[in-house]
Amino acid sequence: MIFVYSLGGSILAGRDAVSLAEYAQALKELAAEHQIFVVVGGGRIAREYIEKARALGANETFCDMIGIGATKLNSALLVAALGDAAPQEIPDSYAQAARLAQPGKIVIMGGLAPGQTTDAVSALLAEYVHADKIIVATSVDGVYTADPEKDPAAKKLERMTPQGLAHLAMQTEMKAGSRSPVDPLAAKIIERSCIPTAIVLGSKIENLKKGALGGHTGTEIRPE
Ligand code: UTP
């Protein structure tokens, strides 16, 4: 099967070399049987740099370009952790990513264009390579009915439709570095492509496999 991961930058950046190697090992095990693509987010570096640039008067497109730079930096770290299992080239297009895919090789890429996040890149890549599933491995453990940090009555949704996800994403603010389960473009692409999507807590290594093959405790996005 073909799996596309959207890996939040914070999940990699907080790890030491040993822990990065463990994460890479889990991806290699999956790649023995499946074709894997991983789109890496910008994490804390992106947020810090964007905040400073914005405070200095940089426009939002330029802030996005800084964010893309951070995603590429994090991608390079994962490429280093994967060694021979990943091409050293970080693709600048979906076509290039598809060309780099080979059995046993894990294609790693970062952001591409301003105005979106790496979730959108993952969704578009998933469409492009006819992926069986998108796994959003992020800093939250699923989609909630409300912000669990602000509302104690917030409940995690086991399942959600792509339309529900799109509706939720459209309500969030579209600003460089903003936080939401997925950005509006990603949600719209997931809606149009109907590719099954899992939103799981990426810091748990076992969620890489469970997100793809089942058994996780996050949110599954599927048509009714
Ligand atoms: P991320 O995809 O990491 O965004 O890209 P995020 O959702 O804010 O981060 P996580 O999931 O919490 O780690 C970081 C920033 O890079 C820019 C955006 O500004 C984004 O917020 N970016 C990224 C783009 O402009 N285009 C892309 O294709 C990717």
Side-chain angles (χ1 to χ4, degrees):
M1 286 204 278
I2 303 173
F3 297 124
V4 173
Y5 287 83
S6 179
L7 194 61
S10 53
I11 289 153
L12 289 185
R15 290 177 184 271
D16 61 15
V18 173
S19 172
L20 277 170
E22 278 169 15
Y23 215 83
Q25 184 55 34
L27 288 171
K28 281 187 211 173
E29 282 166 20
L30 277 161
E33 289 180 42
H34 307 282
Q35 182 64 56
I36 308 288
F37 295 82
V38 185
V39 184
V40 184
R44 192 171 47 82
I45 300 180
R47 273 193 291 278
E48 268 182 34
Y49 276 55
I50 286 170
E51 245 168 59
K52 285 179 196 165
R54 195 181 278 142
L56 290 164
N59 64 59
E60 287 300 311
T61 308
F62 194 79
C63 288
D64 282 343
M65 287 156 67
I66 292 176
I68 293 168
T71 67
K72 297 212 173 191
L73 194 63
N74 287 334
S75 299
L77 192 60
L78 186 55
V79 166
L82 284 162
D84 288 346
Q88 297 234 317
E89 223 174 309
I90 295 171
D92 286 314
S93 71
Y94 299 108
Q96 193 184 355
R99 273 199 303 275
L100 288 171
Q102 277 178 48
K105 294 267 183 202
I106 302 165
V107 179
I108 309 296
M109 71 187 288
L112 286 183
Q116 58 182 35
T117 73
T118 44
D119 293 329
V121 175
S122 320
L124 288 159
L125 178 63
E127 265 195 348
Y128 196 87
V129 301
H130 304 286
D132 294 285
K133 195 164 186 187
I134 300 164
I135 300 97
V136 181
T138 182
S139 54
V140 293
D141 64 347
V143 182
Y144 283 79
T145 51
D147 184 345
E149 279 175 28
K150 291 185 192 144
D151 185 349
K155 282 206 171 65
K156 188 163 59 181
L157 300 167
E158 249 176 65
R159 262 184 91 134
M160 194 180 199
T161 62
Q163 291 75 19
L165 181 72
H167 182 72
L168 184 77
M170 294 311 277
Q171 294 171 335
T172 61
E173 203 186 5
M174 225 184 138
K175 254 188 158 184
S178 69
R179 300 181 112 193
S180 78
V182 294
D183 76 45
L185 179 58
K188 290 306 277 181
I189 303 301
I190 290 169
E191 189 183 10
R192 83 170 178 192
S193 65
C194 288
I195 299 174
T197 301
I199 298 183
V200 296
L201 188 65
S203 54
K204 277 194 181 173
I205 293 185
E206 70 262 29
N207 276 343
L208 291 176
K209 190 172 178 184
K210 287 180 175 174
L213 303 173
H216 65 82
T217 55
T219 303
E220 281 281 323
I221 315 289
R222 283 174 193 274
E224 267 171 327

